[in-house]
């Protein structure tokens, strides 16, 4: 495995001398002893596949004619990502997938001009982007003076600078571009500060949110400063990526954590129930995973491979990665009996699970569809809307059942049976609701409503509501039901005619064994059903 060691430089402080003599691995993280490495939760034994020179050349040629709107190009790049993107070309791949050049060309935002505007309040505060971390205490003192009315400096800029400076100190403190007070680290911290403050100016509705510093720091490890800024813009603003995770109120990330909560409940009910029994909620670990995009994993080659997939598939890959980690930890979690044992495993994913040769193949074998996420999202929003809508639906269903009983329809008993089943599943006090039970309730309500409307239409055909023609959903549902019913009629008649032809072709003396489903009772019932459908449509 290739190891990269930083060059030594004579510094005045002991911290500078110590940091300059530290060795770094191929991704720029400081090498340390095993005991310290365990505390830092960092692994340097990488297992990602070494790049094939032929594939590297092929990928470079492919990127020269890249077209992001082409399905063939995206299908081809997915094949390369599955094989493994070479570290030297990863920046070019990310730029193509995020379409950074087009985004920058289409925007009127000037990054350099923005930096000039940002430096003005910094000068007023007496600080610089190159010393922002060391001046946190003075920023706090100045903020107290502003709150007490002793200073006229803008409080919004000061609060933003202080929040970013605090997070800079926590963002990858063992990486060579952010570690210590060496010139390289001071420049790296200044770049990260400039990118984050520029984005807060570019999109004040989002501003700066905790967790952005990790994302911007990873982008700066791969891309240049301005490219990292536009990559951050693409990730946080495009609906495909992380626009549903970051906002100033943190409500979006809470919603997506609940969506994953429902996804886990749907995919792994036994594991979900076990976590619920132990008192462990998905909110306890999913927010950290999603806000930092899994950068807390100890194996950095796995982190970059996950990011490659996120650049391709967006938020869908974020859910996919979270589910994969849970599945790999399933057997371990099921054997735990205390919350204090489960949470550390989820917050600090073990190294054996995080290794590239374990996590990434499992990630490609785990599939999460976009419609599945949308379904879970709708489920969360439905639960958040409260119980008033549920009571309204129950009352309407009860009225439909009463009207159906009074009309004396034949399919009342199955409806009553389904209603009892639904009420049993949704008894008061049950916190978790079955998705399929709700679908059954909605389907039952729709069938009863359609039966009621058809009965009313037969009794008074001249009185038709003109407003119904203006409802596109009802029109689509009716046309779909008509098509399905006509299709059923055609299938029955085709089956009948083929059956008659086969009977006529049977030679005399050969006994025919008749199927009971095609005889008197079944055929009569089928005939009644066909006539009913023809009369209705």
């Amino acid at each position: 495995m290739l190891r990269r060691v930083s060059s030594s430089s004579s510094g005045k402080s002991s911290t500078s001398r110590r940091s300059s003599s530290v060795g770094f691995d191929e991704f720029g993280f400081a090498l340390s002893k095993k005991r310290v490495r365990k505390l830092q939760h960092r692994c340097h034994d990488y297992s990602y596949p070494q790049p094939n020179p032929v594939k590297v050349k092929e990928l470079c040629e492919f990127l020269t004619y890249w077209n992001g709107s082409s399905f063939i190009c995206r299908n081809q790049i997915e094949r390369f990502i599955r094989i493994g993107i070479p570290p030297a070309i990863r920046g070019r791949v990310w730029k193509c997938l995020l379409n950074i050049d087009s985004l920058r060309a289409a925007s009127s935002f000037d990054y350099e001009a923005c930096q000039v505007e940002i430096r003005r309040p910094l000068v007023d505060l007496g600080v610089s982007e190159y010393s922002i971390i060391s001046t946190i205490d003075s920023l706090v003192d100045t903020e107290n003076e502003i709150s007490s009315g002793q200073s006229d400096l803008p409080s919004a800029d000061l609060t933003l600078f202080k929040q970013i400076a605090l997070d800079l100190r926590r963002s990858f403190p063992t990486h060579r571009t952010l570690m210590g007070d060496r010139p390289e680290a001071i420049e790296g911290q200044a770049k990260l500060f400039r990118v984050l403050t520029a984005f807060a100016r570019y999109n004040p509705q989002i501003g700066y949110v905790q967790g952005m510093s990790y994302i911007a720091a990873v982008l700066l490890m791969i891309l240049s400063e301005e490219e990292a800024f536009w990559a951050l813009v693409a990730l946080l603003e495009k609906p495909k990526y992380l626009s549903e995770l970051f906002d100033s109120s943190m409500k979006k990330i809470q919603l997506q954590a609940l969506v994953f909560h429902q996804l886990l409940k749907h995919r792994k009910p036994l594991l979900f129930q076990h976590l619920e029994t132990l008192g462990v909620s998905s909110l306890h670990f999913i927010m950290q995973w999603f806000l930092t995009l899994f950068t807390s994993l100890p194996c950095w080659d796995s982190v970059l491979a996950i990011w490659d997939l996120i650049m391709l598939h967006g938020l869908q890959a974020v859910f996919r990665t979270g589910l994969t980690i849970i599945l790999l930890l399933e057997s371990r979690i099921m054997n735990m009996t205390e919350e204090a044992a489960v949470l550390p495993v989820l917050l600090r994913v073990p190294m054996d699970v995080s290794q590239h040769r374990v996590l990434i193949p499992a990630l490609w074998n785990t599939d999460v569809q976009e419609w599945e996420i949308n379904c879970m999202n709708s489920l969360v929003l439905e639960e958040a809307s409260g119980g008033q809508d549920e009571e309204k639906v129950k009352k309407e269903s009860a009225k439909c059942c009463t009207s159906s009983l009074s009309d004396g329809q034949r399919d009342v008993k199955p409806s009553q049976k389904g209603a009892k089943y639904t009420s049993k599943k949704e008894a008061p006090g049950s916190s978790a609701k079955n998705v399929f039970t709700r679908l059954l309730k909605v389907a039952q309500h729709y069938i009863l409503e359609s039966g009621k409307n058809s009965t009313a239409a037969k009794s008074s055909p001249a009185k038709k509501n003109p407003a119904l023609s203006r409802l596109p959903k009802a029109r689509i549902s009716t046309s779909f039901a008509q098509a399905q019913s006509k299709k059923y009629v055609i299938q029955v008649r085709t089956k009948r005619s083929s059956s008659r032809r086969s009977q006529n072709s049977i030679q005399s003396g050969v006994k025919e064994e008749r199927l009971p489903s095609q005889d008197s009772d079944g055929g009569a019932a089928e005939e009644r059903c066909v006539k009913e459908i023809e009369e209705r449509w």
Side-chain angles (χ1 to χ4, degrees):
M1 181 180 62
L2 180 63
R3 297 272 193 259
R4 281 201 281 179
V5 182
S6 65
S7 59
S8 300
S9 61
S10 58
K12 293 182 179 181
S13 64
S14 60
T15 304
S16 178
R17 288 195 301 269
R18 183 169 59 252
S19 61
S20 63
S21 61
V22 170
F24 297 95
D25 66 15
E26 58 184 300
F27 293 112
F29 288 94
L31 297 171
S32 55
K33 297 179 180 180
K34 288 187 178 181
R35 182 175 59 84
V36 180
R37 193 183 307 171
K38 188 174 181 181
L39 293 174
Q40 295 174 348
H41 196 55
R42 179 64 58 193
C43 175
H44 303 286
D45 298 326
Y46 301 120
S47 58
Y48 70 96
Q50 294 300 316
N52 186 343
V54 177
K55 293 295 181 183
V56 172
K57 184 179 179 181
E58 184 181 347
L59 177 57
C60 291
E61 292 176 355
F62 169 73
L63 294 175
T64 57
Y65 59 85
W66 166 261
N67 181 8
S69 60
S70 170
F71 173 77
I72 297 176
C73 284
R74 300 193 72 84
N75 191 30
Q76 189 75 358
I77 199 67
E78 183 173 4
R79 184 176 68 88
F80 282 112
I81 291 175
R82 188 163 192 148
I83 296 172
I85 300 297
I89 314 177
R90 181 167 276 115
R92 291 182 60 188
V93 174
W94 288 9
K95 285 176 60 179
C96 290
L97 290 173
L98 295 176
N99 203 13
I100 292 174
D101 294 334
S102 299
L103 182 63
R104 177 168 47 186
S107 176
S108 60
F109 184 82
D110 190 340
Y111 182 77
E112 293 299 331
C114 178
Q115 294 304 320
V116 174
E117 294 179 3
I118 290 172
R119 290 188 182 98
R120 291 172 186 169
L122 285 175
V123 172
D124 295 337
L125 293 169
V127 297
S128 168
E129 68 247 43
Y130 293 98
S131 61
I132 191 68
I133 294 181
S134 60
T135 56
I136 291 178
D137 294 336
S138 64
L139 291 176
V140 174
D141 294 337
T142 308
E143 188 178 30
N144 294 333
E145 292 177 1
I146 292 175
S147 60
S148 61
Q150 299 177 8
S151 177
D152 297 332
L153 293 173
S155 60
D157 289 334
L158 178 61
T159 303
L160 173 66
F161 296 157
K162 188 193 72 172
Q163 289 176 347
I164 294 177
L166 288 171
D167 284 346
L168 286 183
R169 194 162 53 182
R170 296 189 286 259
S171 302
F172 306 111
T174 61
H175 194 270
R176 64 185 307 160
T177 60
L178 299 168
M179 177 182 176
D181 55 358
R182 297 175 303 106
E184 182 184 7
I186 292 174
E187 181 62 32
Q189 294 162 6
K191 286 181 179 180
L192 183 55
F193 178 81
R194 289 194 293 264
V195 168
L196 293 173
T197 50
F199 180 81
R201 290 290 184 95
Y202 176 84
N203 192 333
Q205 293 182 348
I206 299 178
Y208 175 75
V209 180
Q210 189 177 7
M212 286 184 184
S213 60
Y214 293 93
I215 298 175
V218 176
L219 294 173
L220 283 170
M221 294 177 193
I222 307 298
L223 303 169
S224 66
E225 182 179 340
E226 190 169 355
E227 288 173 348
F229 167 76
W230 289 109
L232 186 66
V233 170
L235 285 173
L236 299 185
E237 288 193 349
K238 289 185 178 181
K240 173 184 176 180
Y241 293 107
L242 311 179
S243 64
E244 294 302 320
L245 289 182
F246 289 90
D247 66 331
S248 57
S249 64
M250 302 291 287
K251 290 182 179 179
K252 287 186 175 182
I253 182 60
Q254 294 175 15
L255 174 64
Q256 297 305 320
L258 292 174
V259 171
F260 185 86
H261 188 75
Q262 290 290 343
L263 180 65
L264 181 61
K265 178 181 176 182
H266 174 67
R267 286 290 192 96
K268 287 291 178 180
L270 294 179
L271 177 60
F272 174 84
Q273 187 60 42
H274 181 66
L275 291 174
E276 289 282 302
T277 304
L278 296 180
V280 178
S281 173
S282 301
L283 295 173
H284 295 156
F285 56 92
I286 282 299
M287 291 183 68
Q288 176 183 319
W289 287 1
F290 282 18
L291 283 177
T292 62
L293 287 190
F294 306 98
T295 53
S296 61
L297 293 177
C299 301
W300 198 248
D301 53 347
S302 298
V303 173
L304 293 178
I306 291 170
W307 275 56
D308 292 339
L309 195 61
I310 292 174
M311 296 295 177
L312 178 64
H313 292 304
L315 186 61
Q316 180 183 347
V318 178
F319 280 90
R320 185 172 166 183
T321 306
L323 185 62
T324 302
I325 296 174
I326 288 288
L327 296 180
L328 290 174
L329 293 172
E330 180 179 8
S331 59
R332 205 169 306 192
I333 294 174
M334 292 298 290
N335 292 327
M336 296 178 178
T337 57
E338 294 181 359
E339 178 186 3
V342 175
L343 274 179
V345 173
L346 293 171
L347 294 174
R348 293 169 65 92
V349 180
M351 293 185 184
D352 60 331
V353 173
S354 304
Q355 288 184 346
H356 189 285
R357 61 173 174 266
V358 176
L359 179 57
I360 302 308
L363 176 60
W364 283 101
N365 290 328
T366 304
D367 192 20
V368 175
Q369 297 293 333
E370 186 177 358
W371 66 264
E372 194 173 5
I373 298 175
N374 293 336
C375 181
M376 299 300 122
N377 191 26
S378 301
L379 202 59
V380 170
L381 293 176
E382 180 185 342
E383 287 185 349
S385 63
Q388 296 180 355
D389 294 337
E390 294 181 7
E391 293 296 329
K392 186 177 180 181
V393 170
K394 287 180 181 178
K395 289 180 181 178
E396 290 180 356
S397 300
K399 289 180 182 178
C400 291
C401 291
T402 306
S403 62
S404 300
L405 282 170
S406 61
D407 291 340
Q409 295 179 355
R410 287 177 294 176
D411 50 349
V412 168
K413 292 182 180 180
S415 302
Q416 287 178 335
K417 184 178 179 181
K420 290 179 181 179
Y421 176 77
T422 306
S423 62
K424 182 178 179 182
K425 285 287 182 181
E426 298 183 357
S430 60
S431 59
K433 297 179 181 178
N434 193 296
V435 180
F436 300 104
T437 305
R438 290 195 215 174
L439 293 176
L440 178 64
K441 181 177 67 175
V442 174
Q444 173 193 351
H445 175 66
Y446 173 76
I447 292 171
L448 291 174
E449 280 290 342
S450 61
K452 183 179 177 181
N453 293 336
S454 63
T455 305
K458 283 184 179 181
S459 60
S460 57
K463 296 180 180 180
K464 292 184 179 180
N465 190 356
L468 294 176
S469 61
R470 294 194 296 269
L471 296 176
K473 290 185 178 179
R475 186 166 63 248
I476 293 172
S477 301
T478 305
S479 61
F480 176 75
Q482 288 178 350
Q484 294 297 320
S485 303
K486 290 179 180 179
K487 183 179 178 181
Y488 174 74
V489 171
I490 294 172
Q491 287 178 351
V492 170
R493 288 180 174 175
T494 305
K495 185 169 61 176
R496 290 267 178 80
S497 60
S498 62
S499 176
R500 291 192 186 106
R501 285 196 300 268
S502 62
Q503 289 177 4
N504 294 333
S505 62
I506 294 175
Q507 298 295 332
S508 59
V510 179
K511 295 183 179 180
E512 179 188 359
E513 183 179 353
R514 304 183 67 177
L515 296 175
S517 60
Q518 301 294 332
D519 278 334
S520 57
D521 293 338
E526 203 171 58
E527 185 66 31
R528 287 196 302 269
C529 182
V530 170
K531 288 182 179 180
E532 246 180 60
I533 293 173
E534 287 179 334
E535 289 177 0
R536 176 173 293 188
W537 306 116

